[in-house]
Amino acid sequence: MTEISTRVAIVTGGSGGIGRAVAERLASDGLAVVVHYSGNQAKAQATVEAITAAGGRASAFGGDVADPEAMAALFQHATDTFGGVDVIAHTAGIMPLAPIAEMDLDTFDRIQRTNVRGTFIISQLAARQVRSGGAVITFSTSVTRLQMPTYGAYAASKGAVEAMTLILARELRGRDITVNTVAPGPTATPLFFEGKSEQVVNHIASLNPMERLGTPADIAEVTAFLAGPGRWVNGQVLYTNGGAA
């Protein structure tokens, strides 16, 4: 067990990409981190090992974010292992892409189940268990403003995430808990590169004034700000995209 004063973070989807960068960044600020994973235990364990090798504290725990019993067990694991929950960074999500006219409804339902229902379950547990002085950080996407073709179902799910998050911030009045959404732009992760040609990637990278893709570290830095010193930022969507929109 750690000292009671230790702040504790749960990072969903912490096994790779943005989630891993967030987990490592929060650990570098001294938080104990529970690295959640859905299907890849080995990658989650690699994140834990990277954190512990750097002198931090971390533990891995698996489960479906849309399963309330599995996520209740995740929160209980954080409490049993590190003493409580102070920060939620809910990076977990899926992003199948297709034009609205072509997407099958089973895929649409799977997106909403993971991204909307999953966020609702995590938010509900956070509202009940995050300690005073804590932070709840969900993840949306800048595509809600960019209106890029093939992203319809995904953007719809993230619009719901933004709505829930901003309402939760108001519902937690008097609790000293901030609730915000980070909305990354195109970010250099395996998920982003999947199925895209070099020409397409270069075009997308050119759309913002910085003329590059974001990196997981860029997103992790904003998340760490909201988890730590950014106490006067509450009920906001932070578009983290290099100025793309």
Side-chain angles (χ1 to χ4, degrees), residues 121-140:
I121 289 170
I122 292 294
S123 298
Q124 188 174 71
L125 289 164
R128 295 170 178 172
Q129 298 187 42
V130 168
R131 295 184 286 205
S132 177
V136 179
I137 305 153
T138 63
F139 277 72
S140 179

PDB file of all heavy atoms in Angstrom, residues 121-140:
ATOM      1  N   ILE A 121     -20.493   4.943 -18.211  1.00  0.00           N
ATOM      2  CA  ILE A 121     -20.182   4.082 -17.064  1.00  0.00           C
ATOM      3  C   ILE A 121     -18.983   4.620 -16.288  1.00  0.00           C
ATOM      4  O   ILE A 121     -19.006   4.710 -15.050  1.00  0.00           O
ATOM      5  CB  ILE A 121     -19.941   2.642 -17.540  1.00  0.00           C
ATOM      6  CG1 ILE A 121     -21.270   2.013 -17.981  1.00  0.00           C
ATOM      7  CG2 ILE A 121     -19.276   1.796 -16.447  1.00  0.00           C
ATOM      8  CD1 ILE A 121     -21.130   0.693 -18.699  1.00  0.00           C
ATOM      9  N   ILE A 122     -17.929   4.992 -17.004  1.00  0.00           N
ATOM     10  CA  ILE A 122     -16.744   5.532 -16.344  1.00  0.00           C
ATOM     11  C   ILE A 122     -17.083   6.833 -15.631  1.00  0.00           C
ATOM     12  O   ILE A 122     -16.654   7.079 -14.491  1.00  0.00           O
ATOM     13  CB  ILE A 122     -15.612   5.750 -17.362  1.00  0.00           C
ATOM     14  CG1 ILE A 122     -15.083   4.420 -17.885  1.00  0.00           C
ATOM     15  CG2 ILE A 122     -14.474   6.578 -16.747  1.00  0.00           C
ATOM     16  CD1 ILE A 122     -14.385   3.553 -16.846  1.00  0.00           C
ATOM     17  N   SER A 123     -17.876   7.695 -16.264  1.00  0.00           N
ATOM     18  CA  SER A 123     -18.261   8.967 -15.653  1.00  0.00           C
ATOM     19  C   SER A 123     -19.101   8.743 -14.399  1.00  0.00           C
ATOM     20  O   SER A 123     -18.943   9.452 -13.393  1.00  0.00           O
ATOM     21  CB  SER A 123     -19.027   9.821 -16.667  1.00  0.00           C
ATOM     22  OG  SER A 123     -18.218  10.136 -17.780  1.00  0.00           O
ATOM     23  N   GLN A 124     -20.006   7.788 -14.459  1.00  0.00           N
ATOM     24  CA  GLN A 124     -20.856   7.490 -13.308  1.00  0.00           C
ATOM     25  C   GLN A 124     -20.032   7.004 -12.121  1.00  0.00           C
ATOM     26  O   GLN A 124     -20.211   7.479 -10.986  1.00  0.00           O
ATOM     27  CB  GLN A 124     -21.886   6.432 -13.711  1.00  0.00           C
ATOM     28  CG  GLN A 124     -22.956   6.158 -12.672  1.00  0.00           C
ATOM     29  CD  GLN A 124     -24.012   5.213 -13.194  1.00  0.00           C
ATOM     30  OE1 GLN A 124     -23.740   4.024 -13.370  1.00  0.00           O
ATOM     31  NE2 GLN A 124     -25.206   5.723 -13.450  1.00  0.00           N
ATOM     32  N   LEU A 125     -19.108   6.099 -12.375  1.00  0.00           N
ATOM     33  CA  LEU A 125     -18.246   5.606 -11.306  1.00  0.00           C
ATOM     34  C   LEU A 125     -17.349   6.729 -10.774  1.00  0.00           C
ATOM     35  O   LEU A 125     -17.118   6.832  -9.561  1.00  0.00           O
ATOM     36  CB  LEU A 125     -17.403   4.436 -11.811  1.00  0.00           C
ATOM     37  CG  LEU A 125     -18.168   3.138 -12.055  1.00  0.00           C
ATOM     38  CD1 LEU A 125     -17.337   2.176 -12.905  1.00  0.00           C
ATOM     39  CD2 LEU A 125     -18.545   2.479 -10.724  1.00  0.00           C
ATOM     40  N   ALA A 126     -16.843   7.560 -11.690  1.00  0.00           N
ATOM     41  CA  ALA A 126     -16.003   8.685 -11.273  1.00  0.00           C
ATOM     42  C   ALA A 126     -16.786   9.634 -10.381  1.00  0.00           C
ATOM     43  O   ALA A 126     -16.274  10.111  -9.348  1.00  0.00           O
ATOM     44  CB  ALA A 126     -15.458   9.422 -12.488  1.00  0.00           C
ATOM     45  N   ALA A 127     -18.022   9.930 -10.756  1.00  0.00           N
ATOM     46  CA  ALA A 127     -18.849  10.853  -9.971  1.00  0.00           C
ATOM     47  C   ALA A 127     -19.076  10.328  -8.559  1.00  0.00           C
ATOM     48  O   ALA A 127     -19.215  11.099  -7.611  1.00  0.00           O
ATOM     49  CB  ALA A 127     -20.184  11.081 -10.673  1.00  0.00           C
ATOM     50  N   ARG A 128     -19.096   9.026  -8.411  1.00  0.00           N
ATOM     51  CA  ARG A 128     -19.348   8.423  -7.116  1.00  0.00           C
ATOM     52  C   ARG A 128     -18.087   8.253  -6.269  1.00  0.00           C
ATOM     53  O   ARG A 128     -18.157   8.225  -5.038  1.00  0.00           O
ATOM     54  CB  ARG A 128     -20.003   7.048  -7.301  1.00  0.00           C
ATOM     55  CG  ARG A 128     -21.395   7.115  -7.926  1.00  0.00           C
ATOM     56  CD  ARG A 128     -21.892   5.727  -8.307  1.00  0.00           C
ATOM     57  NE  ARG A 128     -23.256   5.779  -8.867  1.00  0.00           N
ATOM     58  CZ  ARG A 128     -23.870   4.730  -9.420  1.00  0.00           C
ATOM     59  NH1 ARG A 128     -23.247   3.566  -9.501  1.00  0.00           N
ATOM     60  NH2 ARG A 128     -25.100   4.874  -9.894  1.00  0.00           N
ATOM     61  N   GLN A 129     -16.917   8.159  -6.929  1.00  0.00           N
ATOM     62  CA  GLN A 129     -15.737   7.721  -6.183  1.00  0.00           C
ATOM     63  C   GLN A 129     -14.537   8.655  -6.216  1.00  0.00           C
ATOM     64  O   GLN A 129     -13.661   8.557  -5.342  1.00  0.00           O
ATOM     65  CB  GLN A 129     -15.294   6.339  -6.692  1.00  0.00           C
ATOM     66  CG  GLN A 129     -16.345   5.264  -6.477  1.00  0.00           C
ATOM     67  CD  GLN A 129     -15.831   3.885  -6.822  1.00  0.00           C
ATOM     68  OE1 GLN A 129     -14.705   3.520  -6.494  1.00  0.00           O
ATOM     69  NE2 GLN A 129     -16.652   3.100  -7.501  1.00  0.00           N
ATOM     70  N   VAL A 130     -14.419   9.537  -7.212  1.00  0.00           N
ATOM     71  CA  VAL A 130     -13.241  10.409  -7.263  1.00  0.00           C
ATOM     72  C   VAL A 130     -13.230  11.333  -6.048  1.00  0.00           C
ATOM     73  O   VAL A 130     -14.258  11.908  -5.670  1.00  0.00           O
ATOM     74  CB  VAL A 130     -13.217  11.223  -8.566  1.00  0.00           C
ATOM     75  CG1 VAL A 130     -12.183  12.345  -8.512  1.00  0.00           C
ATOM     76  CG2 VAL A 130     -12.923  10.304  -9.747  1.00  0.00           C
ATOM     77  N   ARG A 131     -12.075  11.475  -5.434  1.00  0.00           N
ATOM     78  CA  ARG A 131     -11.945  12.258  -4.212  1.00  0.00           C
ATOM     79  C   ARG A 131     -11.894  13.755  -4.492  1.00  0.00           C
ATOM     80  O   ARG A 131     -11.568  14.191  -5.593  1.00  0.00           O
ATOM     81  CB  ARG A 131     -10.677  11.819  -3.461  1.00  0.00           C
ATOM     82  CG  ARG A 131     -10.755  10.383  -2.969  1.00  0.00           C
ATOM     83  CD  ARG A 131      -9.555   9.972  -2.144  1.00  0.00           C
ATOM     84  NE  ARG A 131      -8.345   9.758  -2.930  1.00  0.00           N
ATOM     85  CZ  ARG A 131      -7.343   8.973  -2.552  1.00  0.00           C
ATOM     86  NH1 ARG A 131      -7.407   8.320  -1.401  1.00  0.00           N
ATOM     87  NH2 ARG A 131      -6.265   8.841  -3.316  1.00  0.00           N
ATOM     88  N   SER A 132     -12.221  14.531  -3.481  1.00  0.00           N
ATOM     89  CA  SER A 132     -12.152  15.990  -3.569  1.00  0.00           C
ATOM     90  C   SER A 132     -10.763  16.410  -4.026  1.00  0.00           C
ATOM     91  O   SER A 132      -9.753  15.864  -3.580  1.00  0.00           O
ATOM     92  CB  SER A 132     -12.463  16.598  -2.198  1.00  0.00           C
ATOM     93  OG  SER A 132     -12.344  18.003  -2.240  1.00  0.00           O
ATOM     94  N   GLY A 133     -10.715  17.405  -4.913  1.00  0.00           N
ATOM     95  CA  GLY A 133      -9.450  17.841  -5.487  1.00  0.00           C
ATOM     96  C   GLY A 133      -9.066  17.072  -6.726  1.00  0.00           C
ATOM     97  O   GLY A 133      -8.001  17.320  -7.303  1.00  0.00           O
ATOM     98  N   GLY A 134      -9.943  16.173  -7.157  1.00  0.00           N
ATOM     99  CA  GLY A 134      -9.627  15.318  -8.291  1.00  0.00           C
ATOM    100  C   GLY A 134     -10.016  15.908  -9.628  1.00  0.00           C
ATOM    101  O   GLY A 134     -10.484  17.052  -9.731  1.00  0.00           O
ATOM    102  N   ALA A 135      -9.832  15.101 -10.673  1.00  0.00           N
ATOM    103  CA  ALA A 135     -10.106  15.537 -12.038  1.00  0.00           C
ATOM    104  C   ALA A 135     -10.616  14.365 -12.854  1.00  0.00           C
ATOM    105  O   ALA A 135     -10.078  13.253 -12.762  1.00  0.00           O
ATOM    106  CB  ALA A 135      -8.851  16.114 -12.685  1.00  0.00           C
ATOM    107  N   VAL A 136     -11.639  14.630 -13.643  1.00  0.00           N
ATOM    108  CA  VAL A 136     -12.170  13.650 -14.588  1.00  0.00           C
ATOM    109  C   VAL A 136     -11.921  14.200 -15.990  1.00  0.00           C
ATOM    110  O   VAL A 136     -12.355  15.309 -16.318  1.00  0.00           O
ATOM    111  CB  VAL A 136     -13.674  13.403 -14.377  1.00  0.00           C
ATOM    112  CG1 VAL A 136     -14.199  12.393 -15.389  1.00  0.00           C
ATOM    113  CG2 VAL A 136     -13.942  12.939 -12.949  1.00  0.00           C
ATOM    114  N   ILE A 137     -11.218  13.425 -16.807  1.00  0.00           N
ATOM    115  CA  ILE A 137     -10.845  13.871 -18.147  1.00  0.00           C
ATOM    116  C   ILE A 137     -11.307  12.824 -19.148  1.00  0.00           C
ATOM    117  O   ILE A 137     -10.826  11.687 -19.135  1.00  0.00           O
ATOM    118  CB  ILE A 137      -9.320  14.073 -18.260  1.00  0.00           C
ATOM    119  CG1 ILE A 137      -8.821  15.034 -17.179  1.00  0.00           C
ATOM    120  CG2 ILE A 137      -8.949  14.592 -19.650  1.00  0.00           C
ATOM    121  CD1 ILE A 137      -7.379  14.827 -16.781  1.00  0.00           C
ATOM    122  N   THR A 138     -12.263  13.198 -19.985  1.00  0.00           N
ATOM    123  CA  THR A 138     -12.702  12.314 -21.045  1.00  0.00           C
ATOM    124  C   THR A 138     -12.049  12.738 -22.351  1.00  0.00           C
ATOM    125  O   THR A 138     -11.395  13.785 -22.429  1.00  0.00           O
ATOM    126  CB  THR A 138     -14.236  12.336 -21.184  1.00  0.00           C
ATOM    127  OG1 THR A 138     -14.650  13.660 -21.564  1.00  0.00           O
ATOM    128  CG2 THR A 138     -14.914  11.943 -19.875  1.00  0.00           C
ATOM    129  N   PHE A 139     -12.266  11.930 -23.378  1.00  0.00           N
ATOM    130  CA  PHE A 139     -11.626  12.217 -24.663  1.00  0.00           C
ATOM    131  C   PHE A 139     -12.649  12.250 -25.784  1.00  0.00           C
ATOM    132  O   PHE A 139     -13.434  11.320 -25.972  1.00  0.00           O
ATOM    133  CB  PHE A 139     -10.530  11.186 -24.966  1.00  0.00           C
ATOM    134  CG  PHE A 139      -9.236  11.528 -24.296  1.00  0.00           C
ATOM    135  CD1 PHE A 139      -9.103  11.396 -22.923  1.00  0.00           C
ATOM    136  CD2 PHE A 139      -8.164  12.021 -25.011  1.00  0.00           C
ATOM    137  CE1 PHE A 139      -7.928  11.743 -22.274  1.00  0.00           C
ATOM    138  CE2 PHE A 139      -6.991  12.371 -24.380  1.00  0.00           C
ATOM    139  CZ  PHE A 139      -6.868  12.238 -23.011  1.00  0.00           C
ATOM    140  N   SER A 140     -12.625  13.353 -26.522  1.00  0.00           N
ATOM    141  CA  SER A 140     -13.464  13.519 -27.694  1.00  0.00           C
ATOM    142  C   SER A 140     -12.553  13.524 -28.921  1.00  0.00           C
ATOM    143  O   SER A 140     -11.567  12.792 -28.981  1.00  0.00           O
ATOM    144  CB  SER A 140     -14.279  14.815 -27.578  1.00  0.00           C
ATOM    145  OG  SER A 140     -15.078  15.002 -28.709  1.00  0.00           O
TER     146      SER A 140
END
